Amino acid sequence: MAGALTTTFLGHQVSNPFLNAAGVLCRTPEDLLQLASSVSGSMITKSCTVEPREGNPEPRYAAAPYGSINSMGLPNLGFEFYKQFAVEHRGKLLFISVSGMSMDENVKMAKDLLPVAKETGCIMELNLSCPNVPGKPQVGYDFTTMREYLQRVSSVYDAPFGVKLPPYFDIAHFDQAAAIFNEIPQVAFLTCVNSLGNGLVIDVDTETVAIKPKDGFGGLGGRYILPTALANVNAFYRRCPTKLVVGCGGVYSANEAFQHILAGASLVQVGTALHEEGPQIFQRVVDEFALLMRAKGYNTIDDFKGKLKTL
């Protein structure tokens, strides 16, 4: 039955639709080696900047009752490290996440990554939704700026790439964002969603916040965000028929992964649960998913992808 989980993404065959969420188990060489040797169908690197970054002060991640809160601040080893990893990587499909501190940084990294992408088959994901860098607003919430980012990046990157999106909450914003993505042919997929920005988790016993940066404000992940993630996946699946959607948010088991794919996701990222359980989670979810498909009588993922019923 495991073969039934095989799917294709932008012409690449993957053994299953599961991968890590950018930011989880993907910053260091050791992290990436663990992902490469896991049973995930593909993998993505930590969102990188041109220069290495230490990120925000610790503690910057904490478990919470229904998931997690983090304010990492883009700790990464710098673009050149991840680009070289792409050059040397063999095996499963690799996504390279870039999240420059400015438009010019993103354009520079895209331009430098293009020949590597064409040579190795790696795929760029442009993160326009990092909510945890002090003083840096999310580009994904400024539609005029987001259009300019995508126009400039696509002018130097003539290969398919994706965009990591923040969660949207208004139907009009779904419409406006989708119109921008539909204008840019190179935007081939949309990853929905990044963490739910600027939540606050409070410890009643100590009467303190859970993390140090930004006075405790940080991005929520895990079960907190599943319904919001599903809504964004389905909203963009409906509005961007020529684009693929990657689901991210609240996946702990085959049940949530099935919901993402039913809503329209082609691949499904695992974040908080991967952080909690480790890379062995991919074997568990793959096994569960095969059983769920069998129980429902589905032979391939395409039998149910995007076929969510409304009342």
Side-chain angles (χ1 to χ4, degrees):
M1 184 69 185
L5 273 66
T6 300
T7 188
T8 58
F9 189 87
L10 298 180
H12 299 267
Q13 188 174 79
V14 295
S15 60
N16 63 70
F18 306 117
L19 70 159
N20 63 301
V24 183
L25 200 69
C26 59
R27 181 171 66 93
T28 67
E30 295 76 18
D31 292 342
L32 293 166
L33 183 62
Q34 287 190 70
L35 279 178
S37 60
S38 77
V39 302
S40 70
S42 55
M43 58 188 285
I44 187 167
T45 64
K46 171 67 182 172
S47 295
C48 64
T49 49
V50 170
E51 300 297 330
R53 281 177 58 88
E54 290 293 326
N56 292 339
E58 303 275 3
R60 56 194 185 188
Y61 175 97
Y66 300 103
S68 63
I69 185 169
N70 85 87
S71 182
M72 302 301 290
L74 286 176
N76 73 93
L77 300 182
F79 172 73
E80 288 299 326
F81 167 77
Y82 300 103
K83 184 178 79 169
Q84 187 60 32
F85 178 80
V87 170
E88 298 172 359
H89 173 71
R90 298 292 181 270
K92 66 183 69 174
L93 176 62
L94 175 68
F95 295 87
I96 302 291
S97 178
V98 300
S99 186
M101 302 300 287
S102 67
M103 193 180 307
D104 287 342
E105 270 205 16
N106 280 319
V107 170
K108 173 179 168 48
M109 289 189 286
K111 189 174 183 178
D112 289 350
L113 184 62
L114 179 62
V116 176
K118 290 189 172 182
E119 177 187 345
T120 68
C122 72
I123 301 173
M124 182 175 73
E125 181 184 88
L126 180 64
N127 182 355
L128 298 183
S129 57
C130 181
N132 298 317
V133 177
K136 293 287 184 181
Q138 291 193 53
V139 174
Y141 286 144
D142 181 337
F143 292 146
T144 299
T145 302
M146 183 167 70
R147 176 183 276 111
E148 187 178 354
Y149 264 72
L150 295 175
Q151 288 172 340
R152 286 198 57 195
V153 168
S154 63
S155 73
V156 301
Y157 195 88
D158 64 342
F161 68 92
V163 184
K164 178 71 169 284
L165 299 177
Y168 297 106
F169 308 99
D170 194 295
I171 297 297
H173 293 160
F174 290 138
D175 294 339
Q176 292 165 31
I180 294 170
F181 306 136
N182 287 331
E183 290 174 10
I184 313 288
Q186 287 101 309
V187 173
F189 68 94
L190 308 168
T191 300
C192 304
V193 291
N194 208 326
S195 57
L196 204 59
N198 295 311
L200 186 65
V201 172
I202 295 173
D203 186 316
V204 171
D205 293 332
T206 63
E207 301 182 12
T208 64
V209 298
I211 56 175
K212 182 179 178 70
K214 295 170 60 180
D215 295 326
F217 284 68
L220 297 177
R223 294 180 179 89
Y224 291 110
I225 72 169
L226 177 62
T228 297
L230 293 173
N232 278 258
V233 166
N234 193 241
F236 287 109
Y237 178 77
R238 292 172 181 272
R239 287 166 174 78
C240 299
T242 65
K243 317 293 184 186
L244 299 175
V245 180
V246 176
C248 182
V251 176
Y252 287 79
S253 70
N255 186 290
E256 299 85 28
F258 184 87
Q259 293 177 58
H260 271 278
I261 294 174
L262 192 66
S266 293
L267 300 180
V268 178
Q269 296 181 349
V270 185
T272 295
L274 171 61
H275 182 88
E276 293 177 356
E277 190 172 329
Q280 62 269 23
I281 192 173
F282 291 114
Q283 185 67 65
R284 176 175 65 78
V285 173
V286 163
D287 292 343
E288 291 176 357
F289 205 83
L291 289 173
L292 181 58
M293 284 180 61
R294 183 183 295 121
K296 286 181 166 290
Y298 292 128
N299 295 313
T300 71
I301 286 173
D302 284 339
D303 290 344
F304 59 92
K305 185 178 80 173
K307 296 183 179 176
L308 178 65
K309 302 167 188 170
T310 56
L311 304 180

